[in-house]
Amino acid sequence: MTFTYAGSHEAAEQFTRETGSVAVQTDSADRDAVIARVRDSGPLNVLGVNSGIAIIGDALKQPPDEIDRLFRINVHAPYHASVEAARQMPDGGRIIMIGSVNGNRMPVPGMASYALSKSALQGLTR
């Protein structure tokens, strides 16, 4: 089984040890790299996506470039990886999105962009 996992290196290593699968890593902020990595991974049975960053602070003061990077990693990468994986998956293939409860509720102030990105991921998953 080939399993493409977008997340932390340590978590991917643990998962591959436990399941006997193969993990690959790429820069989730780079759309073309994400698409190429999934495309070049060969036929996939399962795609697991767990990429995400958070920017904490007053939304009125956050640099737009940082917010754009957050959305490239938290929303765009899962979308493009999923579409590319679906192109090559056999019937019965699976895409697993690992999101956050913060797509539904945020217990602390200053994380509007993160909450929005995780809500978008929930929408993609549905």
Side-chain angles (χ1 to χ4, degrees):
M1 169 172 65
T2 301
F3 184 90
T4 302
Y5 180 90
S8 77
H9 182 71
E10 295 79 20
E13 282 185 350
Q14 179 181 351
F15 183 84
T16 58
R17 278 193 308 275
E18 292 173 0
T19 63
S21 60
V22 177
V24 298
Q25 183 176 351
T26 194
D27 178 358
S28 295
D30 182 341
R31 178 197 65 219
D32 295 335
V34 169
I35 293 169
R37 176 60 77 178
V38 174
R39 183 187 60 237
D40 297 343
S41 293
L44 300 174
N45 300 312
V46 178
L47 171 75
V49 179
N50 187 33
S51 61
I53 63 169
I55 299 173
I56 302 169
D58 185 342
L60 301 177
K61 298 176 182 174
Q62 293 174 341
D65 288 343
E66 288 184 27
I67 301 304
D68 290 348
R69 182 172 182 271
L70 176 139
F71 281 98
R72 285 194 308 274
I73 292 170
N74 294 11
V75 180
H76 299 180
Y79 174 81
H80 292 297
S82 298
V83 168
E84 189 59 38
R87 286 188 171 115
Q88 57 182 305
M89 279 186 174
D91 287 343
R94 298 285 185 262
I95 298 174
I96 301 167
M97 296 286 181
I98 301 172
S100 171
V101 67
N102 298 135
N104 292 332
R105 60 190 162 278
M106 180 55 64
V108 297
M111 294 188 66
S113 59
Y114 180 77
L116 175 60
S117 72
K118 293 305 175 175
S119 293
L121 186 62
Q122 290 175 352
L124 172 63
T125 302
R126 284 188 209 104

